[in-house]
Amino acid sequence: MIKINENYKKLQASYLFVEISKRVSEFQKKNPDKEIIRMGIGDVTLPLPAVCTSAMHKAVDDLANAKTFKGYGPEQGYDFLREPIAENDFKSLGVSADEIFVSDGAKCDTANIQELFSQDTVIALPDPVYPVYSDTNVMAGRSGNFINGRYENFIYLDSTEKNNFIPDLPSKKPDLIYLCFPNNPTGATAAKDQLKKWVDYAKENKALILFDAAYEAFIRDASLPKSIFEIAGAKEVAVEFRSFSKTAGFTGVRCGFIAISKECKVWDKEGNSHSLHALWNRRHSTKFNGASYPIQKGAAAIYTPEGKKEVKDMIDYYLTNAKVIRESMEKLGYKCTGGDNSPYVWVKTGKPSWDFFDFLLDKTGVVCTPGAGFGACGEGYVRFSAFNSKEKTEAAMAKVAEFVK
Amino acid sequence: MIKINENYKKLQASYLFVEISKRVSEFQKKNPDKEIIRMGIGDVTLPLPAVCTSAMHKAVDDLANAKTFKGYGPEQGYDFLREPIAENDFKSLGVSADEIFVSDGAKCDTANIQELFSQDTVIALPDPVYPVYSDTNVMAGRSGNFINGRYENFIYLDSTEKNNFIPDLPSKKPDLIYLCFPNNPTGATAAKDQLKKWVDYAKENKALILFDAAYEAFIRDASLPKSIFEIAGAKEVAVEFRSFSKTAGFTGVRCGFIAISKECKVWDKEGNSHSLHALWNRRHSTKFNGASYPIQKGAAAIYTPEGKKEVKDMIDYYLTNAKVIRESMEKLGYKCTGGDNSPYVWVKTGKPSWDFFDFLLDKTGVVCTPGAGFGACGEGYVRFSAFNSKEKTEAAMAKVAEFVK
């Protein structure tokens, strides 16, 4: 008899975006004339950089011609993309092209990597959290039961006002640690000494850090690390996830990558060390067949001089929106995190997240994301995103200033 | 301490294509003037249909413009693709658009679906086999040890001359059954009554069939089923995998789909039934972020009248090659399977696979794939593929006719 993976029964239904859209459509029904401005979404709105679309056009032409046609590519990605990634993103950090694994996006990569580890791996993850880290470990049977709003076997790394949204080292020892900076949803960024604490901790405890740097392109403060590999010794104890989704608007196009140093070791139960790079390579080549050729060509174009300029302009645009949000909310007396080196502004609401969500929607038609949807520590916060247009962002903030307070 | 998934240690290194390329390059070194013709590859060579590339160009233009830009799409795929799939591939079979899950290819889908089932699921898989079915279940801990060339916990469905390469029902009871028709590597096709035996067996034993129909486009015999859903009751006990890779040359572009009926049930350990559709939807939306927008647009174009014609012409071309291979080999006295409703010809060599491989390479410069690389039952066979050009296929067969026998 075919029986299910019982762990799926432990998954909590994610009502966050369903509930938001239900409340928004109820509001719209009651107020058909009021404009709704969505400041909650994590999706981008600006078109792809022109260098990317023209590279993609050229790649599609390659596929139209027998002489230039490309069939199966290397599962790890084409050198024409892996080489500029290594050269530009990890220059001087000692990560080489063959340590880059190209994929169809960081969601898949952050979801899949847990498969490489033993069933009894102890997981530490931030709260509030990107739900993929949590749900994929629930599916794999590492969570235990969901009791009083939390899974009993996970170590939650509370990210709160008290620690400036940079979690403290845990009292219980994890094997696998998820970190994300600039953070989704809080927008917090970690300084080098803060990351160093985690790298040292991982080394001391033979733990592994999964570092999600999907938002690194938003870092403009030169003192902040864009890669965990800027921390000495990190290559031995950390893996880095990157994405072109927020960097270059690839959310619907799908491309990302993992950087895994050949120095990174993990252990079997006899205590023998294994190369994480080799393990991931086995997984990646067994279960994945390479990212789409024209999409990889589009991604490679980001690393040309024109591509870099277009990406910078795009990120500047969103960062300007983020600044508008943060300054407007602060002017109204709300404490904010993020928004300077991040597309997200995390606003302390002074009331339960959903109450503030309803209050804001009702008064202004502006939609934010209730922080409680990202975990227990998100209660009392909402997330604003900078990915709407400049005009809508300014209009939203003007309405908020008019009606709130 | 971070510990590995110990099951990875049970994986056998796949030397097949590595060994082939080693022997080919040795041969080339010794015989620098001899032409090598690769008849072993499973990758396509014809360019994409023009309808696909023009749809992809248009989609890339959509991404270049803020008004038509697409960010995150539905994880399950866009309706513009799911609807024509349901309408064209499953017309009258009662599979609806919301039972189609679009992905980046059948390799990922056939690799990932085993996650939905319990750890102690008993697996039945064909021998010879597409290695993804086997390796992903080894990784998940369902194989037991590798002893005398086989994993001790798998039920091997021998596909041999005796059963015309259509495996018999097993004596031990499996929970999960992998079937692939037209078959890779044997090229064998299953008739309706042969599939009906399996569907009835699955019903009787509450087993689930994973039906890989990646090569269905090559079926031209109207009496042969193109979908397992042509068998009454299959929707309750089978899932179907499809791919645009071999249908329309998408190997480097990446798009495929699964069809899972809402009638398909699986069980938990208390014996309660669950919807497999709902379980897969949860997995797909947690670990995958949708197939690339321009690629989905390219795939949808296949279902237009011009698209259907272009795909038919492309498949005709490969089928003509397959016929040339089969007839040439049969004329030389070799027994063959496949090649009429399949791109693969499975040739009985009368000697060990690798000996025949070496013999053929040495005499003619023609490269085939040794059947032993696909499993124990592949010993004594080689696979020829029809995916080279007409000219090279004919040249290869002329050389074989000249030197062999």
Side-chain angles (χ1 to χ4, degrees):
Chain A
M1 185 163 95
I2 183 71
K3 281 180 302 185
I4 65 167
N5 174 346
E6 293 278 329
N7 301 309
Y8 272 64
K9 291 161 78 176
K10 295 177 187 153
L11 287 165
Q12 303 304 304
S14 171
Y15 291 122
L16 180 60
F17 290 96
V18 178
E19 185 63 29
I20 290 174
S21 101
K22 200 184 115 201
R23 294 192 192 198
V24 170
S25 72
E26 273 165 17
F27 171 83
Q28 190 73 96
K29 241 180 249 167
K30 269 188 257 167
N31 306 278
D33 301 332
K34 276 210 182 166
E35 190 199 5
I36 287 176
I37 308 182
R38 291 170 200 276
M39 301 295 290
I41 47 164
D43 199 0
V44 298
T45 52
L46 288 179
L48 290 188
V51 286
C52 297
T53 52
S54 83
M56 285 160 68
H57 278 305
K58 208 173 154 307
V60 170
D61 286 336
D62 290 346
L63 298 172
N65 187 317
K67 283 213 177 75
T68 50
F69 180 75
K70 303 279 178 210
Y72 292 120
E75 286 101 347
Q76 299 82 357
Y78 280 101
D79 286 343
F80 67 67
L81 177 55
R82 297 170 93 193
E83 280 165 5
I85 288 172
E87 170 65 18
N88 290 278
D89 289 339
F90 301 104
K91 198 183 343 207
S92 80
L93 299 177
V95 176
S96 60
D98 64 352
E99 294 173 320
I100 304 297
F101 293 88
V102 176
S103 75
D104 64 330
K107 183 178 179 183
C108 296
D109 287 338
T110 53
N112 292 333
I113 197 161
Q114 48 76 31
E115 292 176 25
L116 304 185
F117 308 110
S118 73
Q119 174 81 35
D120 61 356
T121 300
V122 177
I123 306 294
L125 37 76
D127 180 354
V129 71
Y130 176 49
V132 171
Y133 312 157
S134 173
D135 286 354
T136 56
N137 280 293
V138 175
M139 289 171 172
R142 299 191 184 97
S143 64
N145 292 312
F146 193 72
I147 298 170
N148 296 328
R150 285 187 157 185
Y151 289 100
E152 55 185 342
N153 295 348
F154 289 163
I155 297 171
Y156 289 89
L157 305 172
D158 292 353
S159 308
T160 63
E161 196 179 1
K162 217 179 122 194
N163 57 29
N164 288 312
F165 303 96
I166 309 293
D168 302 314
L169 297 174
S171 47
K172 272 175 66 186
K173 277 189 189 172
D175 305 309
L176 193 61
I177 301 161
Y178 290 81
L179 295 176
C180 172
F181 293 108
N183 190 262
N184 176 18
T186 71
T189 50
K192 276 185 191 167
D193 60 329
Q194 291 170 316
L195 285 189
K196 184 177 181 310
K197 238 173 34 179
W198 281 98
V199 168
D200 292 346
Y201 177 83
K203 269 191 156 172
E204 212 175 288
N205 295 285
K206 291 191 169 176
L208 181 73
I209 295 171
L210 301 178
F211 190 75
D212 186 346
Y215 298 94
E216 61 78 31
F218 291 83
I219 295 178
R220 288 293 158 83
D221 177 341
S223 76
L224 291 172
K226 283 168 123 353
S227 165
I228 196 162
F229 300 129
E230 293 180 37
I231 313 304
K235 284 193 284 178
E236 297 159 42
V237 294
V239 164
E240 185 160 309
F241 301 88
R242 293 275 186 110
S243 165
F244 297 109
S245 284
K246 307 301 160 72
T247 306
F250 272 46
T251 52
V253 166
R254 313 305 312 140
C255 200
F257 61 90
I258 312 190
I260 306 180
S261 166
K262 288 182 180 169
E263 294 173 30
C264 186
K265 295 271 176 276
V266 288
W267 287 268
D268 64 20
K269 59 185 180 193
E270 284 88 29
N272 302 311
S273 73
H274 292 257
S275 154
L276 187 66
H277 183 279
L279 278 176
W280 180 254
N281 190 52
R282 187 59 152 112
R283 196 256 169 229
H284 203 62
S285 54
T286 300
K287 298 194 180 185
F288 183 65
N289 228 337
S292 183
Y293 169 73
I295 307 308
Q296 290 192 63
K297 276 285 182 184
I302 296 166
Y303 294 99
T304 59
E306 315 88 275
K308 288 178 195 175
K309 190 184 172 311
E310 285 194 83
V311 163
K312 189 182 170 294
D313 291 348
M314 179 184 266
I315 303 282
D316 278 346
Y317 180 93
Y318 291 135
L319 280 172
T320 305
N321 289 348
K323 201 176 171 203
V324 167
I325 298 167
R326 177 157 182 165
E327 287 180 356
S328 307
M329 294 308 287
E330 283 181 335
K331 205 182 263 178
L332 293 169
Y334 292 101
K335 277 197 178 174
C336 297
T337 314
D340 36 12
N341 293 284
S342 154
Y344 296 125
V345 183
W346 190 240
V347 179
K348 188 177 181 184
T349 57
K351 55 176 90 175
S353 300
W354 280 105
D355 289 357
F356 186 84
F357 172 90
D358 286 336
F359 162 77
L360 200 71
L361 178 61
D362 187 52
K363 293 280 184 204
T364 66
V366 171
V367 180
C368 60
T369 310
F374 296 101
C377 293
E379 182 54 286
Y381 291 85
V382 296
R383 186 188 79 176
F384 282 86
S385 127
F387 292 124
N388 214 323
S389 68
K390 180 174 180 286
E391 294 69 30
K392 294 225 171 165
T393 303
E394 285 170 352
M397 288 302 121
K399 282 192 184 180
V400 172
E402 188 180 346
F403 287 104
V404 175
K405 290 264 149 157
Chain B
M1 186 164 94
I2 182 72
K3 281 180 304 189
I4 65 166
N5 174 346
E6 293 277 330
N7 300 308
Y8 273 64
K9 290 161 79 176
K10 295 177 186 154
L11 286 166
Q12 303 303 304
S14 172
Y15 291 121
L16 180 61
F17 290 97
V18 178
E19 185 62 28
I20 289 174
S21 101
K22 200 184 116 202
R23 294 192 192 199
V24 170
S25 72
E26 274 165 16
F27 170 82
Q28 189 74 98
K29 241 181 252 168
K30 269 188 258 166
N31 306 277
D33 302 332
K34 276 210 181 166
E35 189 198 6
I36 287 176
I37 309 183
R38 291 170 199 276
M39 302 293 292
I41 47 164
D43 199 0
V44 297
T45 51
L46 288 178
L48 288 189
V51 287
C52 297
T53 52
S54 83
M56 285 159 68
H57 277 306
K58 207 173 156 306
V60 170
D61 286 335
D62 290 346
L63 297 172
N65 186 318
K67 284 213 177 75
T68 50
F69 179 76
K70 303 281 178 211
Y72 292 121
E75 286 101 347
Q76 299 82 357
Y78 280 101
D79 286 342
F80 67 68
L81 177 55
R82 296 170 92 193
E83 281 166 5
I85 289 172
E87 170 65 19
N88 290 277
D89 288 339
F90 301 105
K91 198 180 347 204
S92 80
L93 299 177
V95 176
S96 59
D98 65 351
E99 294 173 319
I100 304 297
F101 294 87
V102 176
S103 75
D104 65 330
K107 183 178 180 184
C108 296
D109 288 337
T110 53
N112 293 332
I113 196 160
Q114 48 76 30
E115 292 176 25
L116 304 186
F117 308 110
S118 73
Q119 173 81 34
D120 61 356
T121 300
V122 178
I123 306 294
L125 37 77
D127 179 355
V129 71
Y130 175 50
V132 170
Y133 312 157
S134 172
D135 286 353
T136 56
N137 279 293
V138 176
M139 289 170 172
R142 299 192 184 96
S143 64
N145 291 312
F146 193 72
I147 298 170
N148 296 329
R150 285 188 156 184
Y151 289 101
E152 55 184 343
N153 296 349
F154 288 163
I155 297 172
Y156 288 89
L157 305 172
D158 291 354
S159 309
T160 62
E161 197 178 1
K162 216 179 122 194
N163 56 31
N164 289 311
F165 305 95
I166 310 294
D168 303 314
L169 297 175
S171 47
K172 272 175 66 186
K173 277 189 188 170
D175 304 310
L176 192 62
I177 302 161
Y178 290 82
L179 295 177
C180 172
F181 294 108
N183 188 262
N184 176 17
T186 71
T189 51
K192 275 187 192 166
D193 60 328
Q194 290 170 317
L195 285 189
K196 184 178 181 309
K197 239 175 32 180
W198 280 99
V199 168
D200 292 346
Y201 178 83
K203 269 192 156 170
E204 211 175 288
N205 295 286
K206 290 191 169 175
L208 181 72
I209 295 171
L210 302 178
F211 190 74
D212 186 345
Y215 298 93
E216 61 78 30
F218 291 83
I219 295 178
R220 288 292 158 83
D221 177 341
S223 75
L224 291 172
K226 282 167 120 1
S227 164
I228 196 162
F229 299 129
E230 294 181 36
I231 314 303
K235 284 192 286 179
E236 297 158 41
V237 294
V239 165
E240 185 160 309
F241 300 88
R242 293 274 187 109
S243 164
F244 297 109
S245 285
K246 307 300 159 74
T247 305
F250 272 46
T251 52
V253 165
R254 313 304 314 139
C255 199
F257 60 91
I258 313 189
I260 306 181
S261 166
K262 288 183 181 167
E263 295 173 30
C264 187
K265 295 273 176 275
V266 288
W267 286 267
D268 65 19
K269 59 184 179 192
E270 284 88 29
N272 303 310
S273 74
H274 292 257
S275 155
L276 186 67
H277 182 281
L279 278 175
W280 180 255
N281 191 52
R282 186 60 152 112
R283 195 257 169 228
H284 203 61
S285 53
T286 300
K287 298 193 179 185
F288 183 65
N289 228 338
S292 183
Y293 169 73
I295 307 308
Q296 289 192 62
K297 277 285 182 185
I302 296 165
Y303 293 100
T304 59
E306 315 89 275
K308 288 178 195 174
K309 190 185 172 311
E310 283 195 84
V311 162
K312 188 182 170 296
D313 291 348
M314 179 185 267
I315 302 284
D316 278 345
Y317 179 93
Y318 291 135
L319 280 173
T320 305
N321 289 348
K323 200 176 172 204
V324 167
I325 298 167
R326 178 156 181 165
E327 288 180 355
S328 308
M329 295 308 288
E330 282 182 335
K331 205 182 262 176
L332 294 169
Y334 291 101
K335 276 197 178 174
C336 297
T337 314
D340 37 10
N341 293 284
S342 154
Y344 296 124
V345 183
W346 190 239
V347 178
K348 189 176 181 184
T349 58
K351 55 176 90 176
S353 300
W354 281 106
D355 289 358
F356 185 85
F357 172 91
D358 286 335
F359 163 76
L360 200 71
L361 178 61
D362 187 51
K363 294 280 183 204
T364 68
V366 171
V367 180
C368 59
T369 311
F374 297 101
C377 292
E379 181 55 285
Y381 292 85
V382 296
R383 186 187 78 176
F384 283 86
S385 126
F387 292 124
N388 214 322
S389 68
K390 180 174 181 285
E391 295 68 31
K392 295 226 170 164
T393 303
E394 285 170 352
M397 288 303 120
K399 281 192 185 180
V400 172
E402 186 181 346
F403 288 104
V404 175
K405 290 267 147 152

